Amino acid sequence: MKTPKKWKMALLTWICIYPLINIIFITVMPVIGSWHPLLKTLLTTIILVPLMGLSIELLRKQVGDWLYK
């Protein structure tokens, strides 16, 4: 199977991560704002990584034709 170009995968990753991080900052950070930075980062990544996995697969299906050209 043909692999997508690196710049296309980087763009797709950024398109997924940017809104997810903003949503996490708006919803979770007010609650954990006083936590130690390492704990905030840990919780953020615990939430972000699974959401990213689901989001990127859905987006790959949507832009599959463009991605593999």
Side-chain angles (χ1 to χ4, degrees):
M1 181 175 201
K2 189 176 178 183
T3 58
K5 293 184 180 184
K6 289 182 182 183
W7 72 267
K8 288 183 178 183
M9 280 305 297
L11 180 62
L12 190 70
T13 302
W14 181 80
I15 288 170
C16 281
I17 284 182
Y18 183 73
L20 289 174
I21 288 175
N22 282 307
I23 291 168
I24 290 170
F25 280 178
I26 291 168
T27 59
V28 177
M29 286 303 159
V31 177
I32 64 170
S34 62
W35 290 16
H36 189 278
L38 293 176
L39 291 175
K40 287 193 278 191
T41 304
L42 176 65
L43 183 61
T44 301
T45 56
I46 286 172
I47 296 169
L48 181 64
V49 170
L51 288 175
M52 179 64 189
L54 295 172
S55 299
I56 198 125
E57 284 306 314
L58 293 173
L59 193 55
R60 283 178 82 174
K61 289 178 184 177
Q62 295 295 319
V63 298
D65 292 338
W66 169 79
L67 192 60
Y68 294 101
K69 281 185 182 178

